[in-house]
Amino acid sequence: MKSVIVLSGGLDSMVSLHRAFSETKIELVLTFNYGQRAAAQEIKASKLLAQHYGLPHTIIELPWLKAITNTALVNTKTALPALGETELDDVHGKNLDSAKAVWVPNRNGVFINIAAAHAESLGAGLVVVGFNREEAATFPDNSPEFMKAANGSLSFSTQNLVEVKS
């Protein structure tokens, strides 16, 4: 199976990249720059990982996504939320407030659809992302239900029925 990897350079996407490298033929690694605070670090880490594996790497610029987002993830005038250790699992309290403070509208939906377009053009049937169950408790666009819904949509929007997996 051929794949396209969405890579932020963080632990979750790095683990997904490593597993995909052993289980698929990776056609392309994509990193997105939407004006996030950590963009420079994410791009640097992603480039190094792609080079390590000998994979083609493309950075996709999404300035319009920053333009429609005013949360702390892209707005440097807004403080990033800080949670105490006991607040991390409080998905209905401070953790939920923290998630709202860094939410980017449809970010993972945008990433998946761009990656799926690249996958289809390269004859790849798989988009690999770095979602995890812990973040899915607060960010619904990291959940298995979201991936199932995205796969349903991709079955209509890609001729080769690209699927997303994490």
Side-chain angles (χ1 to χ4, degrees), residues 3-71:
S3 66
V4 169
I5 311 301
V6 175
L7 183 66
S8 70
L11 182 61
D12 301 326
S13 65
M14 182 197 68
V15 169
S16 291
L17 166 67
H18 180 73
R19 185 162 177 194
F21 187 77
S22 66
E23 296 177 9
T24 72
K25 181 181 184 312
I26 298 173
E27 296 293 319
L28 181 63
V29 175
L30 295 175
T31 300
F32 296 97
N33 180 0
Y34 54 96
Q36 68 273 34
R37 289 180 188 229
Q41 298 94 319
E42 289 179 11
I43 290 167
K44 180 179 178 184
S46 295
K47 280 182 179 180
L48 289 171
L49 285 164
Q51 287 172 355
H52 173 77
Y53 287 96
L55 299 169
H57 180 240
T58 298
I59 299 160
I60 305 285
E61 302 288 339
L62 301 172
W64 61 269
L65 193 52
K66 179 181 181 177
I68 66 167
T69 304
N70 196 33
T71 62

Short mmCIF file of all heavy atoms in Angstrom, two decimals, residues 3-71:
data_model
loop_
_atom_site.label_atom_id
_atom_site.label_comp_id
_atom_site.label_asym_id
_atom_site.label_seq_id
_atom_site.Cartn_x
_atom_site.Cartn_y
_atom_site.Cartn_z
N SER A 3 1.41 5.32 0.67
CA SER A 3 0.85 6.25 1.65
C SER A 3 1.43 7.64 1.52
O SER A 3 2.49 7.84 0.93
CB SER A 3 1.10 5.72 3.07
OG SER A 3 2.48 5.71 3.35
N VAL A 4 0.70 8.59 2.09
CA VAL A 4 1.14 9.96 2.29
C VAL A 4 1.04 10.21 3.79
O VAL A 4 0.04 9.87 4.41
CB VAL A 4 0.26 10.97 1.50
CG1 VAL A 4 0.54 12.39 1.93
CG2 VAL A 4 0.48 10.80 0.01
N ILE A 5 2.08 10.81 4.35
CA ILE A 5 2.14 11.01 5.79
C ILE A 5 1.95 12.49 6.11
O ILE A 5 2.57 13.35 5.50
CB ILE A 5 3.52 10.57 6.35
CG1 ILE A 5 3.91 9.18 5.84
CG2 ILE A 5 3.55 10.66 7.87
CD1 ILE A 5 2.96 8.07 6.19
N VAL A 6 1.11 12.78 7.11
CA VAL A 6 0.98 14.12 7.65
C VAL A 6 1.89 14.16 8.88
O VAL A 6 1.67 13.42 9.84
CB VAL A 6 -0.48 14.45 8.03
CG1 VAL A 6 -0.56 15.81 8.71
CG2 VAL A 6 -1.36 14.41 6.79
N LEU A 7 2.92 14.98 8.82
CA LEU A 7 3.96 14.97 9.85
C LEU A 7 4.16 16.36 10.44
O LEU A 7 4.55 17.29 9.73
CB LEU A 7 5.28 14.48 9.24
CG LEU A 7 6.47 14.33 10.17
CD1 LEU A 7 6.23 13.22 11.20
CD2 LEU A 7 7.72 14.03 9.36
N SER A 8 3.92 16.47 11.74
CA SER A 8 4.18 17.74 12.43
C SER A 8 5.57 17.77 13.03
O SER A 8 6.04 18.84 13.43
CB SER A 8 3.15 17.95 13.55
OG SER A 8 3.39 17.03 14.61
N GLY A 9 6.20 16.61 13.13
CA GLY A 9 7.50 16.54 13.78
C GLY A 9 7.38 16.18 15.25
O GLY A 9 8.38 15.98 15.92
N GLY A 10 6.16 16.12 15.75
CA GLY A 10 5.93 15.74 17.15
C GLY A 10 5.94 14.24 17.34
O GLY A 10 6.01 13.46 16.38
N LEU A 11 5.87 13.82 18.59
CA LEU A 11 5.97 12.40 18.93
C LEU A 11 4.91 11.55 18.25
O LEU A 11 5.22 10.49 17.70
CB LEU A 11 5.89 12.24 20.45
CG LEU A 11 6.02 10.82 21.00
CD1 LEU A 11 7.38 10.22 20.63
CD2 LEU A 11 5.84 10.82 22.50
N ASP A 12 3.65 11.99 18.26
CA ASP A 12 2.57 11.18 17.70
C ASP A 12 2.74 10.95 16.21
O ASP A 12 2.62 9.82 15.73
CB ASP A 12 1.21 11.83 17.98
CG ASP A 12 0.95 12.02 19.47
OD1 ASP A 12 1.39 11.16 20.25
OD2 ASP A 12 0.32 13.02 19.83
N SER A 13 3.03 12.00 15.47
CA SER A 13 3.17 11.82 14.02
C SER A 13 4.48 11.11 13.69
O SER A 13 4.55 10.38 12.70
CB SER A 13 3.05 13.16 13.28
OG SER A 13 4.09 14.04 13.59
N MET A 14 5.51 11.27 14.53
CA MET A 14 6.76 10.56 14.30
C MET A 14 6.56 9.05 14.46
O MET A 14 7.07 8.26 13.66
CB MET A 14 7.84 11.04 15.26
CG MET A 14 9.18 10.37 15.02
SD MET A 14 10.33 10.51 16.40
CE MET A 14 9.53 9.51 17.62
N VAL A 15 5.82 8.65 15.47
CA VAL A 15 5.54 7.22 15.68
C VAL A 15 4.73 6.69 14.49
O VAL A 15 5.01 5.60 13.98
CB VAL A 15 4.80 6.99 17.02
CG1 VAL A 15 4.26 5.58 17.11
CG2 VAL A 15 5.74 7.29 18.19
N SER A 16 3.75 7.46 14.03
CA SER A 16 2.96 7.03 12.87
C SER A 16 3.83 6.93 11.62
O SER A 16 3.67 5.99 10.83
CB SER A 16 1.81 8.01 12.64
OG SER A 16 0.86 7.91 13.68
N LEU A 17 4.74 7.87 11.44
CA LEU A 17 5.68 7.80 10.31
C LEU A 17 6.52 6.54 10.38
O LEU A 17 6.66 5.82 9.39
CB LEU A 17 6.59 9.03 10.30
CG LEU A 17 7.83 8.96 9.39
CD1 LEU A 17 7.42 8.94 7.93
CD2 LEU A 17 8.77 10.13 9.68
N HIS A 18 7.07 6.25 11.53
CA HIS A 18 7.92 5.07 11.69
C HIS A 18 7.17 3.78 11.36
O HIS A 18 7.66 2.93 10.64
CB HIS A 18 8.49 5.01 13.11
CG HIS A 18 9.38 3.83 13.35
ND1 HIS A 18 10.65 3.75 12.82
CD2 HIS A 18 9.16 2.69 14.02
CE1 HIS A 18 11.18 2.60 13.17
NE2 HIS A 18 10.30 1.93 13.90
N ARG A 19 5.96 3.69 11.88
CA ARG A 19 5.16 2.49 11.60
C ARG A 19 4.79 2.39 10.12
O ARG A 19 4.89 1.33 9.52
CB ARG A 19 3.92 2.48 12.47
CG ARG A 19 3.14 1.21 12.32
CD ARG A 19 2.19 0.98 13.43
NE ARG A 19 1.42 -0.23 13.16
CZ ARG A 19 0.34 -0.56 13.80
NH1 ARG A 19 -0.11 0.20 14.77
NH2 ARG A 19 -0.31 -1.65 13.49
N ALA A 20 4.39 3.52 9.54
CA ALA A 20 4.04 3.53 8.11
C ALA A 20 5.25 3.17 7.26
O ALA A 20 5.11 2.50 6.24
CB ALA A 20 3.49 4.90 7.71
N PHE A 21 6.43 3.59 7.67
CA PHE A 21 7.65 3.28 6.93
C PHE A 21 7.88 1.77 6.85
O PHE A 21 8.33 1.26 5.82
CB PHE A 21 8.86 3.97 7.57
CG PHE A 21 10.13 3.83 6.78
CD1 PHE A 21 10.34 4.61 5.65
CD2 PHE A 21 11.10 2.91 7.15
CE1 PHE A 21 11.51 4.48 4.89
CE2 PHE A 21 12.27 2.78 6.41
CZ PHE A 21 12.47 3.57 5.29
N SER A 22 7.53 1.07 7.91
CA SER A 22 7.73 -0.38 7.91
C SER A 22 6.57 -1.15 7.28
O SER A 22 6.73 -2.30 6.90
CB SER A 22 7.98 -0.90 9.33
OG SER A 22 6.83 -0.72 10.14
N GLU A 23 5.42 -0.49 7.12
CA GLU A 23 4.22 -1.20 6.64
C GLU A 23 3.72 -0.73 5.28
O GLU A 23 2.85 -1.39 4.70
CB GLU A 23 3.10 -1.07 7.67
CG GLU A 23 3.43 -1.72 9.00
CD GLU A 23 2.33 -1.54 10.04
OE1 GLU A 23 1.24 -1.04 9.69
OE2 GLU A 23 2.58 -1.90 11.20
N THR A 24 4.20 0.42 4.78
CA THR A 24 3.70 0.96 3.52
C THR A 24 4.87 1.50 2.70
O THR A 24 5.98 1.63 3.19
CB THR A 24 2.70 2.12 3.75
OG1 THR A 24 3.39 3.28 4.21
CG2 THR A 24 1.60 1.74 4.72
N LYS A 25 4.56 1.86 1.47
CA LYS A 25 5.53 2.57 0.63
C LYS A 25 5.14 4.05 0.69
O LYS A 25 4.14 4.46 0.10
CB LYS A 25 5.50 2.07 -0.81
CG LYS A 25 6.52 2.79 -1.70
CD LYS A 25 6.46 2.29 -3.13
CE LYS A 25 7.51 2.91 -4.01
NZ LYS A 25 7.66 4.34 -3.96
N ILE A 26 5.91 4.84 1.41
CA ILE A 26 5.60 6.25 1.60
C ILE A 26 5.99 7.03 0.35
O ILE A 26 7.15 7.03 -0.05
CB ILE A 26 6.30 6.81 2.85
CG1 ILE A 26 5.82 6.07 4.10
CG2 ILE A 26 6.04 8.32 2.97
CD1 ILE A 26 6.57 6.41 5.37
N GLU A 27 5.00 7.67 -0.25
CA GLU A 27 5.21 8.46 -1.46
C GLU A 27 5.59 9.91 -1.14
O GLU A 27 6.30 10.54 -1.91
CB GLU A 27 3.95 8.45 -2.32
CG GLU A 27 3.58 7.07 -2.86
CD GLU A 27 4.61 6.56 -3.86
OE1 GLU A 27 5.08 7.35 -4.70
OE2 GLU A 27 4.94 5.36 -3.79
N LEU A 28 5.08 10.43 -0.01
CA LEU A 28 5.28 11.84 0.30
C LEU A 28 5.00 12.08 1.77
O LEU A 28 4.11 11.47 2.36
CB LEU A 28 4.32 12.70 -0.54
CG LEU A 28 4.38 14.21 -0.39
CD1 LEU A 28 5.73 14.76 -0.83
CD2 LEU A 28 3.26 14.85 -1.21
N VAL A 29 5.79 13.00 2.34
CA VAL A 29 5.56 13.48 3.70
C VAL A 29 5.14 14.94 3.60
O VAL A 29 5.80 15.73 2.91
CB VAL A 29 6.85 13.34 4.56
CG1 VAL A 29 6.64 13.95 5.93
CG2 VAL A 29 7.27 11.88 4.66
N LEU A 30 4.05 15.29 4.26
CA LEU A 30 3.53 16.66 4.23
C LEU A 30 3.59 17.29 5.62
O LEU A 30 3.22 16.65 6.60
CB LEU A 30 2.07 16.68 3.77
CG LEU A 30 1.77 16.25 2.35
CD1 LEU A 30 0.25 16.21 2.13
CD2 LEU A 30 2.43 17.17 1.36
N THR A 31 4.04 18.53 5.66
CA THR A 31 4.01 19.31 6.89
C THR A 31 3.27 20.61 6.57
O THR A 31 3.50 21.21 5.52
CB THR A 31 5.44 19.62 7.39
OG1 THR A 31 6.11 18.38 7.62
CG2 THR A 31 5.42 20.43 8.68
N PHE A 32 2.40 21.02 7.48
CA PHE A 32 1.57 22.20 7.26
C PHE A 32 2.05 23.36 8.11
O PHE A 32 2.32 23.21 9.30
CB PHE A 32 0.11 21.89 7.57
CG PHE A 32 -0.47 20.86 6.65
CD1 PHE A 32 -0.54 19.52 7.02
CD2 PHE A 32 -0.93 21.23 5.40
CE1 PHE A 32 -1.06 18.58 6.16
CE2 PHE A 32 -1.45 20.29 4.53
CZ PHE A 32 -1.52 18.96 4.91
N ASN A 33 2.14 24.53 7.48
CA ASN A 33 2.45 25.77 8.17
C ASN A 33 1.23 26.66 8.07
O ASN A 33 0.93 27.21 7.01
CB ASN A 33 3.67 26.46 7.57
CG ASN A 33 4.02 27.75 8.26
OD1 ASN A 33 3.36 28.16 9.21
ND2 ASN A 33 5.06 28.42 7.78
N TYR A 34 0.52 26.78 9.17
CA TYR A 34 -0.67 27.63 9.20
C TYR A 34 -0.48 28.79 10.17
O TYR A 34 -1.44 29.35 10.70
CB TYR A 34 -1.92 26.80 9.55
CG TYR A 34 -1.79 26.00 10.83
CD1 TYR A 34 -2.28 26.49 12.03
CD2 TYR A 34 -1.16 24.77 10.83
CE1 TYR A 34 -2.15 25.78 13.20
CE2 TYR A 34 -1.02 24.04 12.00
CZ TYR A 34 -1.52 24.55 13.17
OH TYR A 34 -1.37 23.81 14.34
N GLY A 35 0.79 29.14 10.39
CA GLY A 35 1.10 30.25 11.28
C GLY A 35 1.13 29.87 12.75
O GLY A 35 1.14 30.74 13.61
N GLN A 36 1.17 28.58 13.04
CA GLN A 36 1.21 28.14 14.43
C GLN A 36 2.52 28.57 15.09
O GLN A 36 3.53 28.75 14.44
CB GLN A 36 1.03 26.61 14.52
CG GLN A 36 2.16 25.76 13.97
CD GLN A 36 2.09 25.47 12.49
OE1 GLN A 36 1.62 26.30 11.72
NE2 GLN A 36 2.55 24.29 12.09
N ARG A 37 2.47 28.77 16.38
CA ARG A 37 3.64 29.25 17.12
C ARG A 37 4.86 28.35 16.93
O ARG A 37 5.98 28.84 16.90
CB ARG A 37 3.34 29.32 18.61
CG ARG A 37 2.39 30.42 18.99
CD ARG A 37 2.16 30.37 20.49
NE ARG A 37 1.13 31.28 20.87
CZ ARG A 37 1.24 32.15 21.87
NH1 ARG A 37 2.36 32.23 22.56
NH2 ARG A 37 0.24 32.93 22.18
N ALA A 38 4.64 27.07 16.84
CA ALA A 38 5.74 26.12 16.76
C ALA A 38 6.11 25.78 15.32
O ALA A 38 6.83 24.81 15.08
CB ALA A 38 5.39 24.85 17.51
N ALA A 39 5.66 26.56 14.35
CA ALA A 39 5.87 26.23 12.93
C ALA A 39 7.34 25.98 12.61
O ALA A 39 7.68 24.98 11.97
CB ALA A 39 5.31 27.32 12.03
N ALA A 40 8.23 26.86 13.03
CA ALA A 40 9.65 26.71 12.68
C ALA A 40 10.21 25.40 13.25
O ALA A 40 10.92 24.66 12.55
CB ALA A 40 10.45 27.90 13.19
N GLN A 41 9.88 25.10 14.50
CA GLN A 41 10.36 23.86 15.12
C GLN A 41 9.74 22.63 14.45
O GLN A 41 10.42 21.62 14.25
CB GLN A 41 10.05 23.84 16.63
CG GLN A 41 10.71 24.95 17.41
CD GLN A 41 9.79 26.15 17.58
OE1 GLN A 41 9.06 26.56 16.67
NE2 GLN A 41 9.84 26.76 18.76
N GLU A 42 8.44 22.71 14.13
CA GLU A 42 7.77 21.58 13.48
C GLU A 42 8.37 21.31 12.11
O GLU A 42 8.62 20.16 11.74
CB GLU A 42 6.27 21.85 13.35
CG GLU A 42 5.54 21.81 14.68
CD GLU A 42 4.05 22.10 14.55
OE1 GLU A 42 3.53 22.14 13.41
OE2 GLU A 42 3.40 22.29 15.59
N ILE A 43 8.61 22.37 11.35
CA ILE A 43 9.19 22.21 10.00
C ILE A 43 10.60 21.63 10.10
O ILE A 43 10.95 20.71 9.35
CB ILE A 43 9.15 23.55 9.25
CG1 ILE A 43 7.69 23.91 8.91
CG2 ILE A 43 10.01 23.50 7.99
CD1 ILE A 43 7.49 25.33 8.44
N LYS A 44 11.40 22.14 11.01
CA LYS A 44 12.77 21.64 11.18
C LYS A 44 12.75 20.16 11.55
O LYS A 44 13.47 19.35 10.94
CB LYS A 44 13.49 22.45 12.26
CG LYS A 44 14.92 22.00 12.49
CD LYS A 44 15.60 22.84 13.56
CE LYS A 44 17.01 22.34 13.80
NZ LYS A 44 17.66 23.08 14.89
N ALA A 45 11.94 19.78 12.53
CA ALA A 45 11.87 18.38 12.97
C ALA A 45 11.36 17.49 11.84
O ALA A 45 11.89 16.39 11.61
CB ALA A 45 10.98 18.25 14.20
N SER A 46 10.34 17.95 11.12
CA SER A 46 9.78 17.16 10.02
C SER A 46 10.79 16.96 8.91
O SER A 46 10.91 15.86 8.35
CB SER A 46 8.52 17.83 9.48
OG SER A 46 7.52 17.84 10.46
N LYS A 47 11.53 18.01 8.56
CA LYS A 47 12.57 17.89 7.53
C LYS A 47 13.61 16.87 7.93
O LYS A 47 14.02 16.03 7.13
CB LYS A 47 13.25 19.24 7.29
CG LYS A 47 12.49 20.19 6.42
CD LYS A 47 13.29 21.47 6.20
CE LYS A 47 12.56 22.44 5.32
NZ LYS A 47 13.32 23.69 5.11
N LEU A 48 14.05 16.94 9.18
CA LEU A 48 15.06 16.00 9.66
C LEU A 48 14.55 14.55 9.64
O LEU A 48 15.28 13.63 9.25
CB LEU A 48 15.53 16.37 11.07
CG LEU A 48 16.38 17.63 11.17
CD1 LEU A 48 16.59 18.03 12.63
CD2 LEU A 48 17.72 17.43 10.47
N LEU A 49 13.31 14.36 10.03
CA LEU A 49 12.73 13.02 10.01
C LEU A 49 12.60 12.49 8.58
O LEU A 49 12.94 11.34 8.30
CB LEU A 49 11.37 13.00 10.71
CG LEU A 49 11.42 13.07 12.23
CD1 LEU A 49 10.06 13.44 12.81
CD2 LEU A 49 11.91 11.75 12.81
N ALA A 50 12.11 13.33 7.69
CA ALA A 50 11.98 12.91 6.28
C ALA A 50 13.36 12.57 5.71
O ALA A 50 13.51 11.56 5.00
CB ALA A 50 11.30 13.99 5.47
N GLN A 51 14.35 13.39 6.00
CA GLN A 51 15.72 13.11 5.53
C GLN A 51 16.23 11.81 6.11
O GLN A 51 16.86 11.01 5.41
CB GLN A 51 16.66 14.26 5.90
CG GLN A 51 16.45 15.50 5.08
CD GLN A 51 17.28 16.69 5.60
OE1 GLN A 51 17.94 16.62 6.63
NE2 GLN A 51 17.21 17.80 4.86
N HIS A 52 15.99 11.58 7.40
CA HIS A 52 16.43 10.35 8.06
C HIS A 52 15.90 9.12 7.34
O HIS A 52 16.61 8.13 7.16
CB HIS A 52 15.99 10.34 9.52
CG HIS A 52 16.25 9.05 10.22
ND1 HIS A 52 17.50 8.69 10.66
CD2 HIS A 52 15.42 8.03 10.53
CE1 HIS A 52 17.44 7.49 11.22
NE2 HIS A 52 16.18 7.07 11.15
N TYR A 53 14.64 9.18 6.93
CA TYR A 53 14.01 8.04 6.24
C TYR A 53 14.21 8.09 4.73
O TYR A 53 13.76 7.19 4.02
CB TYR A 53 12.52 7.98 6.58
CG TYR A 53 12.24 7.50 7.98
CD1 TYR A 53 12.03 8.40 9.03
CD2 TYR A 53 12.17 6.14 8.27
CE1 TYR A 53 11.77 7.96 10.31
CE2 TYR A 53 11.91 5.69 9.56
CZ TYR A 53 11.71 6.60 10.57
OH TYR A 53 11.46 6.16 11.84
N GLY A 54 14.83 9.15 4.22
CA GLY A 54 15.04 9.28 2.77
C GLY A 54 13.76 9.49 2.00
O GLY A 54 13.60 8.96 0.89
N LEU A 55 12.86 10.29 2.54
CA LEU A 55 11.53 10.48 1.95
C LEU A 55 11.36 11.90 1.41
O LEU A 55 11.87 12.85 1.98
CB LEU A 55 10.46 10.22 3.00
CG LEU A 55 10.44 8.82 3.60
CD1 LEU A 55 9.52 8.76 4.81
CD2 LEU A 55 10.04 7.79 2.55
N PRO A 56 10.59 12.03 0.32
CA PRO A 56 10.28 13.38 -0.18
C PRO A 56 9.38 14.11 0.81
O PRO A 56 8.46 13.51 1.39
CB PRO A 56 9.57 13.12 -1.50
CG PRO A 56 9.07 11.72 -1.42
CD PRO A 56 9.98 10.99 -0.49
N HIS A 57 9.66 15.39 1.00
CA HIS A 57 8.96 16.18 2.01
C HIS A 57 8.51 17.50 1.40
O HIS A 57 9.30 18.17 0.73
CB HIS A 57 9.92 16.43 3.18
CG HIS A 57 9.32 17.23 4.29
ND1 HIS A 57 9.84 18.44 4.69
CD2 HIS A 57 8.26 17.00 5.09
CE1 HIS A 57 9.12 18.90 5.70
NE2 HIS A 57 8.16 18.06 5.95
N THR A 58 7.26 17.85 1.62
CA THR A 58 6.71 19.10 1.13
C THR A 58 6.08 19.86 2.28
O THR A 58 5.37 19.27 3.11
CB THR A 58 5.64 18.84 0.04
OG1 THR A 58 6.26 18.18 -1.06
CG2 THR A 58 5.01 20.13 -0.46
N ILE A 59 6.32 21.16 2.31
CA ILE A 59 5.69 22.02 3.29
C ILE A 59 4.55 22.75 2.60
O ILE A 59 4.75 23.38 1.56
CB ILE A 59 6.69 23.03 3.88
CG1 ILE A 59 7.83 22.28 4.57
CG2 ILE A 59 6.00 24.00 4.84
CD1 ILE A 59 9.07 23.10 4.77
N ILE A 60 3.37 22.64 3.15
CA ILE A 60 2.18 23.28 2.60
C ILE A 60 1.88 24.53 3.44
O ILE A 60 1.67 24.44 4.64
CB ILE A 60 0.95 22.34 2.64
CG1 ILE A 60 1.23 21.02 1.93
CG2 ILE A 60 -0.29 23.05 2.10
CD1 ILE A 60 1.26 21.08 0.45
N GLU A 61 1.91 25.68 2.79
CA GLU A 61 1.63 26.95 3.46
C GLU A 61 0.12 27.21 3.43
O GLU A 61 -0.51 27.13 2.37
CB GLU A 61 2.36 28.09 2.75
CG GLU A 61 3.88 27.92 2.69
CD GLU A 61 4.58 28.10 4.02
OE1 GLU A 61 4.00 28.75 4.94
OE2 GLU A 61 5.71 27.61 4.16
N LEU A 62 -0.44 27.50 4.58
CA LEU A 62 -1.87 27.78 4.71
C LEU A 62 -2.09 29.11 5.44
O LEU A 62 -2.67 29.15 6.53
CB LEU A 62 -2.57 26.65 5.47
CG LEU A 62 -2.47 25.25 4.86
CD1 LEU A 62 -3.03 24.20 5.81
CD2 LEU A 62 -3.18 25.20 3.53
N PRO A 63 -1.65 30.22 4.86
CA PRO A 63 -1.80 31.51 5.55
C PRO A 63 -3.25 31.88 5.82
O PRO A 63 -3.54 32.57 6.80
CB PRO A 63 -1.11 32.50 4.61
CG PRO A 63 -1.14 31.85 3.27
CD PRO A 63 -1.05 30.37 3.54
N TRP A 64 -4.15 31.43 4.99
CA TRP A 64 -5.56 31.75 5.17
C TRP A 64 -6.11 31.12 6.46
O TRP A 64 -7.02 31.66 7.08
CB TRP A 64 -6.39 31.30 3.97
CG TRP A 64 -6.34 29.83 3.72
CD1 TRP A 64 -5.45 29.16 2.92
CD2 TRP A 64 -7.17 28.83 4.30
NE1 TRP A 64 -5.70 27.80 2.97
CE2 TRP A 64 -6.75 27.58 3.82
CE3 TRP A 64 -8.25 28.86 5.19
CZ2 TRP A 64 -7.35 26.37 4.18
CZ3 TRP A 64 -8.85 27.66 5.56
CH2 TRP A 64 -8.40 26.43 5.04
N LEU A 65 -5.53 29.98 6.88
CA LEU A 65 -6.01 29.32 8.10
C LEU A 65 -5.64 30.17 9.32
O LEU A 65 -6.44 30.30 10.25
CB LEU A 65 -5.44 27.90 8.20
CG LEU A 65 -6.05 26.98 9.24
CD1 LEU A 65 -7.56 26.91 9.13
CD2 LEU A 65 -5.44 25.58 9.11
N LYS A 66 -4.44 30.75 9.30
CA LYS A 66 -4.07 31.67 10.38
C LYS A 66 -4.98 32.89 10.36
O LYS A 66 -5.41 33.37 11.42
CB LYS A 66 -2.62 32.11 10.25
CG LYS A 66 -2.23 33.09 11.35
CD LYS A 66 -0.80 33.56 11.24
CE LYS A 66 -0.49 34.51 12.39
NZ LYS A 66 0.89 34.95 12.40
N ALA A 67 -5.31 33.37 9.18
CA ALA A 67 -6.11 34.59 9.05
C ALA A 67 -7.51 34.42 9.65
O ALA A 67 -8.10 35.41 10.10
CB ALA A 67 -6.21 35.00 7.58
N ILE A 68 -8.03 33.22 9.68
CA ILE A 68 -9.37 33.01 10.23
C ILE A 68 -9.34 32.47 11.66
O ILE A 68 -10.38 32.13 12.22
CB ILE A 68 -10.22 32.09 9.33
CG1 ILE A 68 -9.65 30.67 9.28
CG2 ILE A 68 -10.38 32.69 7.94
CD1 ILE A 68 -10.59 29.65 8.66
N THR A 69 -8.15 32.38 12.24
CA THR A 69 -7.98 31.83 13.58
C THR A 69 -7.46 32.91 14.51
O THR A 69 -6.49 33.59 14.19
CB THR A 69 -6.98 30.65 13.56
OG1 THR A 69 -7.44 29.68 12.62
CG2 THR A 69 -6.86 30.02 14.93
N ASN A 70 -8.08 33.05 15.66
CA ASN A 70 -7.63 34.05 16.61
C ASN A 70 -7.31 33.43 17.97
O ASN A 70 -7.33 34.10 18.98
CB ASN A 70 -8.66 35.16 16.77
CG ASN A 70 -8.07 36.38 17.44
OD1 ASN A 70 -6.89 36.67 17.27
ND2 ASN A 70 -8.88 37.07 18.23
N THR A 71 -7.03 32.14 18.00
CA THR A 71 -6.74 31.48 19.26
C THR A 71 -5.24 31.53 19.57
O THR A 71 -4.43 31.92 18.72
CB THR A 71 -7.22 30.02 19.25
OG1 THR A 71 -6.51 29.31 18.23
CG2 THR A 71 -8.71 29.93 19.02
#
